């Protein structure tokens, strides 16, 4: 199990790697870059252990990001469908970058055995937008995930990669005008060769006005986020003891593993 701080995090796009470090704000300017390097060297000689540890982590992140960039330059490139424009990087570009990284997974610095990638697809907060306005986003999501699945099959990794969705809240059952308001219970989906798919896990609520499965138009959750993520973490290799540390409230629910992945 990876412990906090044992591995640096990176941000990457289709063409380059960026460490989560302000070093890159200075490296284009020789004078500022030299000042920054002097600060790093000074920090490493500092008597304060916290300052020294912070400086060491930054130096390690910079070194590994440079090594990672060299590997990334030789990776297989994938083309994903163009689609909905949004602020930030499109979902297809993000998933293409993940597939590219997975194509060189065995040559990554430090030889990590397990890897986690986050992609973002936002603007589902439909307060004022008509509900049918989101249909094109669903279509684009479907195409992107289909292309990602094809890329994993091409790499022979469809059984080694599990993709899951995570959101902070659902939507209200009935409209608040043109769109919907913030909700409580929601749904998620999981895809991958290890997924026991074609089924619904949990209880499907009645989606109707005055639903018995809702309070003030907000669906009452019947499955906890802890149960959902603990199931994925178990597949990822977390032990039962690890799960109790990662999800301290997991003991409050009768079923620790929902069985949708094996």
């Amino acid at each position: 199990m990876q412990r906090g701080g044992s591995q640096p995090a990176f941000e990457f796009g289709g063409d380059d790697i960026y460490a989560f470090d302000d070093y890159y704000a200075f490296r284009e300017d020789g004078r500022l870059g030299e000042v920054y390097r002097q600060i790093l060297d000074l920090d490493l000689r500092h008597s304060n252990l916290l300052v020294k540890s912070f400086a060491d982590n930054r130096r390690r992140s910079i070194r590994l990001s440079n090594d990672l960039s060299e590997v990334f330059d030789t990776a297989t490139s994938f083309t994903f469908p163009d689609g909905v424009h949004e602020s930030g990087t499109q979902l297809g570009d993000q998933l293409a970058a993940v597939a590219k990284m997975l194509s060189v997974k065995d040559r990554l610095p430090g030889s990590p055995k397990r890897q986690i990638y986050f992609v973002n697809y936002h603007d589902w907060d439909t307060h004022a937008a008509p509900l049918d306005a989101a249909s094109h986003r669903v279509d684009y999501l479907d195409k992107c995930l289909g292309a990602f699945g094809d890329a994993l099959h091409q790499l022979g990794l469809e059984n080694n990669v599990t993709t899951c969705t995570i959101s902070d809240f659902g939507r209200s059952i009935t409209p608040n005008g043109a769109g919907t308001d913030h909700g409580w219970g929601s749904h998620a989906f999981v895809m991958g060769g290890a997924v026991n798919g074609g089924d619904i896990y949990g209880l499907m609520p009645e989606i109707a006005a005055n639903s018995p499965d809702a309070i003030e138009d907000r669906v009452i959750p019947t499955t906890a986020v802890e149960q959902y993520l603990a199931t994925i973490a178990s597949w990822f290799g977390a032990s039962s003891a690890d799960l109790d540390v990662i999800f301290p409230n997991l003991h409050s629910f009768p079923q620790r593993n929902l069985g949708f992945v094996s």
Side-chain angles (χ1 to χ4, degrees), residues 21-227:
D21 197 289
D22 52 352
Y23 164 77
Y24 287 91
F26 295 96
R27 68 175 183 174
E28 300 299 330
D29 188 302
R31 184 172 60 85
L32 288 177
E34 179 59 31
V35 171
Y36 189 77
R37 284 187 289 273
Q38 291 177 9
I39 292 174
L40 282 177
D41 291 338
L42 178 62
D43 286 348
L44 285 174
R45 297 193 299 270
H46 202 282
S47 59
N48 187 295
L49 292 178
L50 181 60
V51 174
K52 291 177 65 175
S53 178
F54 181 63
D56 179 66
N57 188 63
R58 286 188 296 179
R59 290 170 63 92
R60 187 161 55 96
S61 180
I62 293 169
R63 183 181 68 253
L64 288 177
S65 65
N66 290 334
D67 293 341
L68 191 57
S69 292
E70 294 180 3
V71 175
F72 198 59
D73 289 341
T74 66
T76 303
S77 294
F78 297 89
T79 301
F80 276 55
D82 294 328
V84 178
H85 176 73
E86 58 181 58
S87 58
T89 305
Q90 292 190 26
L91 178 63
D93 293 338
Q94 296 176 71
L95 289 173
V98 173
K100 185 175 181 179
M101 184 69 78
L102 289 172
S103 73
V104 291
K105 67 179 183 63
D106 295 327
R107 295 191 285 122
L108 298 180
S111 302
K113 300 300 182 184
R114 298 176 179 85
Q115 301 160 35
I116 300 175
Y117 299 90
F118 293 93
V119 299
N120 180 40
Y121 189 33
H122 48 77
D123 289 347
W124 298 90
D125 205 3
T126 57
H127 281 289
L131 296 181
D132 58 0
S135 62
H136 66 294
R137 303 182 64 79
V138 174
D139 180 64
Y140 176 56
L141 175 64
D142 174 66
K143 291 178 180 178
C144 287
L145 291 177
F148 186 60
D150 291 341
L152 294 178
H153 179 73
Q154 180 180 335
L155 294 170
L157 295 175
E158 59 266 40
N159 294 326
N160 301 91
V161 177
T162 296
T163 304
C164 64
T165 61
I166 302 174
S167 182
D168 49 358
F169 50 77
R171 311 303 303 175
S172 60
I173 293 178
T174 57
N176 64 346
T180 57
D181 209 339
H182 291 179
W184 189 10
S186 187
H187 64 274
F189 60 84
V190 186
M191 60 172 267
V195 175
N196 301 315
D199 204 351
I200 295 175
Y201 292 80
L203 301 176
M204 189 67 183
E206 179 181 333
I207 305 299
N210 302 315
S211 169
D213 300 317
I215 295 178
E216 295 184 354
D217 208 30
R218 272 70 171 173
V219 173
I220 304 169
T222 58
T223 302
V225 172
E226 287 89 345
Q227 293 172 287

